[in-house]
Amino acid sequence: PPTAATSAAILVAAADSVLAGSNTAFSLNRYIDRPDVGEAGSMRDMAERRSRHGHGHANVVPFGAGAGGGLQHGEHDQEKVKEKKLDMSGLSMDTIPHLTTSLGHITTLDLSNNNLESIPESMIARLLNVVVLDVRSNQLKSLPNSIGCLSKLRVLNVSGNLLQSLPATIEECRALEELNANFNQLTRLPDTLGFELHSLRRLSVNSNKLTSLPFSTSHMTALRALDARLNCIRALPEGLENLVNLEVLNVSQNFHFLRELPYGLGLLTSLRELDISYNSISVLPDSMGCLAKLNKFSAVGNPLVCPPMDIVEQSLDAMRTYLSSRMNGTGVNAKKKKGWLPRMVKYNTFSARMTPGRKSAHDNSEGFSMSDYHSLNGSASPGFLSMLSPRRLFSPRRDSPKHH
């Protein structure tokens, strides 16, 4: 295998080759995997490969094949010609050699399947035009804060590392459309992630240690796929119904942590696939009866009571019908609710002569009758002073008073 010095030289030469105008994807595996080729041989092979691509072929246009290479659409293909990919994957690198050449024209950087424990802040800051950054399957414990400088980044893959958190500066990557952070040790995501990443279409964070999703998730209105399985999630965020474009939702295998689903889940009008298997959910929200586009659903491994598992296993239509009938109060087991109006009429609440209160001594109806109050006529006379006692004033009359 090549020495560290040879590998470093090849890396620098690779960047030079890509940036000098070869206009093609460049992989270092071709040279690193050949122990019989030294540094000089590698450089010679690169020159020959560069020369071959200079002439191009009419039917091959990978990342642009130069002028006269069979381009059919002017402006679109001119943009393709400018795309440059630097592939440094699978080299068993522990560190990234310092590259002195400019990285400003790199659009795709692949550092996957190495042994990298860190990525230099300065290197990331120089990738001003990178669109795809792949650092999966390394030993990364953190990402550089300078990742926030990647204003054109659309795809970020950090799966298969040792990350416990993502830098808050990732919110500055406002062009990001796909974030893949599976198989890490994430315990939380930035709380305000959804406030800035309005273009995010796919968020995949399965196989981590997340106990919740950020409350700002409901602001990711462009999101189409959310994968949060194999975590420790206890509840889904409020406002889930705002994800009007969400088509795929997987929150399976959160086991005993996830016990209920929010009512807003049934308001995801675009949802086509839903997997809630292997959780501790006993009741599905009635609103799920409104998921008209749902065509794939799995709830195995849950202690479902409502609807019963036999109905769920029967068909999606049977489940929707069951939940819709519960929501409309027309189900077999739906309890008849008593309205408040009949009860108020029963107790003469709307009667002009009755007021709610105590029961009259000589009347079986409930409440006080205005005629039950004792008249205070002549109360100024000394003979009737006893009539002013509180007991007499606030008690219904039992017998007519005798006047002498």
Side-chain angles (χ1 to χ4, degrees), residues 22 46 50 99 101 115 144 172 216 246 252 277 291 305 324 328 365 376-377:
S22 63
M46 283 188 288
R50 184 172 170 183
L99 301 177
T101 52
N115 297 317
E172 301 299 322
S216 60
L246 190 65
S252 64
S277 57
L291 297 177
V305 175
S324 296
N328 297 327
S365 62
L376 297 181
N377 292 336

Side-chain angles (χ1 to χ4, degrees), residues 116-192:
L116 301 175
E117 296 183 359
S118 64
I119 300 176
E121 293 271 1
S122 58
M123 179 182 180
I124 295 297
R126 292 159 58 195
L127 296 169
L128 300 180
N129 290 296
V130 72
V131 175
V132 178
L133 178 58
D134 189 350
V135 295
R136 70 183 187 276
S137 300
N138 279 284
Q139 302 295 318
L140 298 175
K141 296 181 179 179
S142 63
L143 295 178
N145 289 320
S146 57
I147 198 169
C149 299
L150 307 183
S151 59
K152 298 182 180 180
L153 186 64
R154 293 183 182 178
V155 179
L156 175 61
N157 193 337
V158 297
S159 295
N161 283 283
L162 304 174
L163 301 175
Q164 295 184 0
S165 63
L166 299 178
T169 53
I170 199 173
E171 300 172 1
E172 301 299 322
C173 302
R174 293 185 175 88
L176 195 63
E177 297 180 358
E178 180 176 338
L179 174 57
N180 195 329
N182 302 327
F183 296 99
N184 278 281
Q185 299 177 10
L186 296 174
T187 57
R188 57 183 295 274
L189 297 175
D191 290 333
T192 56

Side-chain angles (χ1 to χ4, degrees), residues 367-404:
F368 282 124
S369 174
M370 296 301 293
S371 60
D372 289 337
Y373 288 103
H374 187 274
S375 174
L376 297 181
N377 292 336
S379 61
S381 173
F384 292 91
L385 289 178
S386 61
M387 297 290 295
L388 298 177
S389 66
R391 184 175 181 181
R392 296 296 298 275
L393 287 173
F394 297 99
S395 299
R397 186 180 64 179
R398 296 184 179 180
D399 300 310
S400 298
K402 296 181 181 179
H403 302 280
H404 299 286

